[in-house]
Amino acid sequence: MCSCERETRVSGGPAVLWVGFPKDSLIWTGSGGEPKWWYPYPTLRCGFCPDCGSQLVSIADDSDMAMVTGFSLADQSGVEPLGHSFREHAVPWMHITLAPAPAPAPAPAPDPGPEARATRAGRCGGGAPAAAG
């Protein structure tokens, strides 16, 4: 969610709920087709419905994500706010309960290098040479 001055003025509400999707997965299916684009900053474009003017999406040039306004989605099931930007600017009567942060994915184990791999392979005894008696 975001309660910054720009978003609240554009939306006409106390906050905007953003839902992130990979940019390349976004397909425009509405009757108006692709949004009409506006560039509030040199590296940020915002898409609006060409029919009614509703803000639909915000895409930063350096991001792989497209941020879609949550309440413009036809299916809002499972959509819960995880964070609230500019919370200090939110109207005093608005109280948001944030969803728990998703658990981080476990980091892959670092590669131990070729020497450690060879040492581990030799421990099993399957291919290790035997000493002549």
Side-chain angles (χ1 to χ4, degrees):
M1 299 207 53
C2 182
S3 290
C4 74
E5 184 178 348
R6 191 188 87 71
E7 298 300 341
T8 56
R9 285 186 184 211
V10 170
S11 71
V16 173
L17 174 64
W18 291 109
V19 181
F21 294 96
K23 264 199 274 199
D24 58 1
S25 73
L26 213 52
I27 299 169
W28 303 109
T29 60
S31 60
E34 185 164 330
K36 182 169 178 76
W37 296 102
W38 173 59
Y39 292 80
Y41 306 104
T43 60
L44 179 71
R45 63 185 165 135
C46 296
F48 294 83
C49 174
D51 293 334
C52 72
S54 295
Q55 182 175 354
L56 301 173
V57 64
S58 181
I59 301 174
D61 289 349
D62 62 349
S63 176
D64 294 333
M65 301 295 285
M67 303 306 289
V68 177
T69 53
F71 296 115
S72 68
L73 297 172
D75 180 8
Q76 297 171 16
S77 58
V79 175
E80 294 183 72
L82 297 176
H84 190 171
S85 302
F86 297 92
R87 183 184 291 221
E88 66 277 8
H89 297 292
V91 293
W93 48 261
M94 188 168 100
H95 302 282
I96 303 293
T97 301
L98 300 176
D111 184 0
E115 290 178 15
R117 285 194 300 270
T119 302
R120 278 199 307 260
R123 286 189 191 147
C124 72

